[in-house]
Amino acid sequence: KAGVTQTPRYLIKTRGQQVTLSCSPISGHRSVSWYQQTPGQGLQFLFEYFSETQRNKGNFPGRFSGRQFSNSRSEMNVSTLELGDSALYLCASSAQGQGVHEQYFGPGTRLTVT
Amino acid sequence: AQRVTQPEKLLSVFKGAPVELKCNYSYSGSPELFWYVQYSRQRLQLLLRHISRESIKGFTADLNKGETSFHLKKPFAQEEDSAMYYCALGARGGADGLTFGKGTHLIIQP
């Protein structure tokens, strides 16, 4: 099976802009989680989607949002970008029944905000 | 609030020596504990979970609820073990996502 894919791999945006990141899970996986990774804070949970519904949400401001489509592909959106949003954004998918925490990670999208 | 602490940012050991990567957690409920690993230029991947109680690539980890620890151990380190190791905690049932420690960079010297 193909692994989790994320597009784009690299992105440069300006403060105040918005950005949309995309994640395609492993075929058959219905749960998609998003994480933000920074040198200072490490890996932090953003949110998780299952069957097009947000099931869990981390402690991030409302500028961070996401959605999941019927084919389980997911997007996350960050509006009004701030310099502190520069990070590696990781997507992970999980199959129902295996336990949501056995997650398979994508390569990440490196977002730089200038 | 749940928390995972990995006290060592960097751990350097010689090939053939024993390895122990420390992980302590704080959680009021019944946790699920995991170790994830990231080799150079590769994506983050699951190494092992406490429920399965298996040994992967020679690594084992035992959940000690009394000490709230989940240390990762290997009796004889190999050069290919060099990587970033992350301890992660999840609530049973999947609520709240995974909480990761800051990671330990393990370097195995020849």
Side-chain angles (χ1 to χ4, degrees), chain A residues 1-97:
Chain A
K1 284 184 180 177
V4 176
T5 59
Q6 293 186 244
T7 56
R9 293 293 310 278
Y10 302 92
L11 208 47
I12 299 175
K13 289 286 187 178
T14 305
R15 262 185 310 176
Q17 288 186 314
Q18 73 165 14
V19 67
T20 299
L21 311 181
S22 181
C23 170
S24 291
I26 291 172
S27 178
H29 285 193
R30 295 170 62 189
S31 167
V32 174
S33 298
W34 288 89
Y35 294 85
Q36 181 195 65
Q37 186 175 29
T38 59
Q41 299 299 317
L43 277 155
Q44 292 184 287
F45 172 71
L46 278 157
F47 29 65
E48 184 231 348
Y49 286 86
F50 182 82
S51 293
E52 303 178 63
T53 301
Q54 188 180 88
R55 193 159 64 170
N56 296 302
K57 190 177 192 306
N59 189 24
F60 277 81
R63 299 186 297 108
F64 291 82
S65 63
R67 59 178 175 169
Q68 187 180 33
F69 302 95
S70 57
N71 61 358
S72 294
R73 190 177 69 84
S74 177
E75 290 181 347
M76 67 162 281
N77 184 277
V78 188
S79 62
T80 320
L81 283 166
E82 300 177 0
L83 294 178
D85 297 333
S86 293
L88 181 67
Y89 290 88
L90 293 171
C91 163
S93 74
S94 178
Q96 184 185 24

Side-chain angles (χ1 to χ4, degrees), chain A residues 4 37 56 101-103 105, chain B residues 34 36 43 49 91 94 96:
Chain A
V4 176
Q37 186 175 29
N56 296 302
H101 302 304
E102 286 195 35
Q103 300 192 353
F105 283 83
Chain B
F34 304 81
Y36 279 81
R43 59 187 68 187
R49 58 187 301 199
D96 300 329

Side-chain angles (χ1 to χ4, degrees), chain B residues 53-65:
Chain B
R53 291 180 166 270
E54 55 191 348
S55 172
I56 305 292
K57 299 185 179 183
F59 284 98
T60 58
D62 290 319
L63 177 61
N64 186 324
K65 291 187 178 179

